[in-house]
């Protein structure tokens, strides 16, 4: 689904990513882990076209999308949910959701029903302005809005940040169901390593813009043999 080769990214003189390479298989969840400043957000912003890399290739579903516009990448099936639970506060929940389907040509009625079925709290509040939602409900809204585009690859940046543990667990359970039921591929950036690894098939650890570990996930067995790396970058 996604192949990244030799990716270098910088903001002026400040390097953010160095020679980053990895692959993401279809219908899997890949967790991208690391401390603050490791380059996790820069990676997602580069993949979705918000930041242009200095070097490297980004091959999504067989095509190099490195120089494509953001909207073109989105139409090809990549959706990006940035950190921060950004919603348009003055619009209703339903209006926010329908914005996510604008890049599709077909009617969005069926997709809207599916999203509201997956998020009962949003169904109850579909006519309310988005500013009336709680933090957890806003996170559900931005994920639901991304799903309205029917993506094949979903990029998620810190979806559990600031949420109660119960709500964060609901978000992770949803990602697992979307993988299993719809074959959705997910690239998940998280600082909560335990939460991310509970649903991930593969894990990648970034440190100072470099990939320092990449392996299949088997519960907490991921990097179990490297205690120093685990404690330094995963927090357990």
């Amino acid at each position: 689904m996604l192949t990244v080769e030799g990716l270098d990214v910088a903001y002026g003189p400040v390097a953010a990513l160095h020679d980053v390479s990895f692959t993401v298989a279809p219908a899997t969840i890949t967790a991208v882990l690391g401390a603050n400043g490791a380059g996790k957000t820069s990676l997602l912003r580069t993949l979705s076209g918000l930041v242009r890399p200095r070097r490297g290739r980004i091959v999504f579903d067989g095509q190099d999308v490195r120089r494509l516009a953001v909207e073109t990448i989105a139409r090809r099936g990549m959706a990006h949910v940035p950190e921060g639970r950004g919603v348009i506060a003055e619009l209703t929940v339903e209006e926010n959701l329908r914005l996510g389907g604008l890049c599709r040509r077909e009617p969005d009625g069926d997709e809207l029903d599916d999203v509201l079925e997956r998020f009962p709290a949003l169904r109850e509040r579909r006519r309310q302005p988005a500013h009336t939602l709680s933090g957890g409900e806003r996170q559900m809204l931005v994920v639901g809005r991304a799903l309205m585009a029917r993506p094949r690859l979903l990029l998620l940046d810190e979806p559990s940040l600031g949420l109660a543990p119960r709500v964060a667990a609901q978000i992770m359970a949803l990602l697992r169901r979307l993988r299993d039921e719809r074959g959705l591929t997910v690239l998940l950036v998280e600082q909560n390593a335990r939460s991310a690894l509970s649903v991930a098939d593969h894990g990648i650890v970034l440190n100072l813009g470099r990939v320092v570990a990449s392996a299949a996930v088997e519960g907490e067995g991921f990097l179990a043999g490297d205690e120093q790396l685990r404690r330094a970058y995963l927090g357990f």
Side-chain angles (χ1 to χ4, degrees):
M1 180 63 71
L2 179 71
T3 299
V4 177
E5 298 176 347
L7 200 63
D8 284 358
V9 173
Y11 301 100
V14 180
L17 297 173
H18 311 267
D19 196 27
V20 169
S21 299
F22 62 91
T23 61
V24 176
T28 62
I29 299 175
T30 298
V32 181
L33 310 172
N36 285 331
K40 305 185 300 296
T41 292
S42 292
L43 174 61
L44 294 196
R45 288 173 57 83
T46 305
L47 296 179
S48 64
L50 293 171
V51 173
R52 297 296 182 193
R54 285 185 171 178
R55 187 178 68 86
R57 298 176 72 231
I58 303 169
V59 180
F60 171 51
D61 200 21
Q63 181 177 9
D64 191 340
V65 299
R66 179 182 46 158
R67 299 192 182 280
L68 296 184
V70 174
E71 59 271 21
T72 303
I73 296 174
R75 290 192 183 99
R76 291 182 179 276
M78 186 188 300
H80 181 187
V81 180
E83 179 187 340
R85 301 193 286 274
V87 300
I88 301 180
E90 297 79 9
L91 298 183
T92 67
V93 168
E94 181 172 332
E95 288 167 340
N96 268 274
L97 289 173
R98 289 190 182 278
L99 285 175
L102 290 179
C103 65
R104 301 198 334 262
R105 295 181 180 179
E106 66 272 20
D108 60 9
D110 291 344
E111 198 64 27
L112 179 62
D113 289 341
D114 180 72
V115 170
L116 293 176
E117 183 70 24
R118 295 183 184 277
F119 298 102
L122 299 184
R123 180 182 292 279
E124 295 174 5
R125 294 162 176 77
R126 63 188 295 178
R127 308 298 184 195
Q128 294 180 210
H131 70 79
T132 65
L133 301 182
S134 67
E137 290 165 346
R138 290 190 182 204
Q139 186 63 68
M140 294 175 188
L141 180 54
V142 295
V143 173
R145 186 173 60 196
L147 295 177
M148 286 290 293
R150 295 182 186 171
R152 286 170 291 134
L153 175 61
L154 180 63
L155 312 179
L156 278 173
D157 195 353
E158 301 281 8
S160 70
L161 184 66
L163 298 184
R166 177 181 59 83
V167 179
Q170 290 174 350
I171 296 292
M172 295 302 164
L174 172 69
L175 297 180
R176 186 189 294 115
R177 290 197 302 272
L178 290 169
R179 176 198 62 192
D180 296 342
E181 296 171 6
R182 293 177 47 169
L184 181 66
T185 306
V186 180
L187 191 63
L188 171 64
V189 161
E190 262 293 338
Q191 274 201 290
N192 186 333
R194 290 184 185 275
S195 179
L197 295 178
S198 71
V199 299
D201 303 289
H202 194 91
I204 298 169
V205 181
L206 289 179
N207 180 44
L208 299 178
R210 299 182 184 274
V211 175
V212 294
S214 178
V217 171
E218 296 180 2
E220 292 187 8
F222 178 64
L223 299 181
D226 194 331
E227 184 175 354
Q228 182 178 359
L229 187 65
R230 191 177 71 248
R231 293 194 176 193
Y233 307 125
L234 304 186
F236 64 84

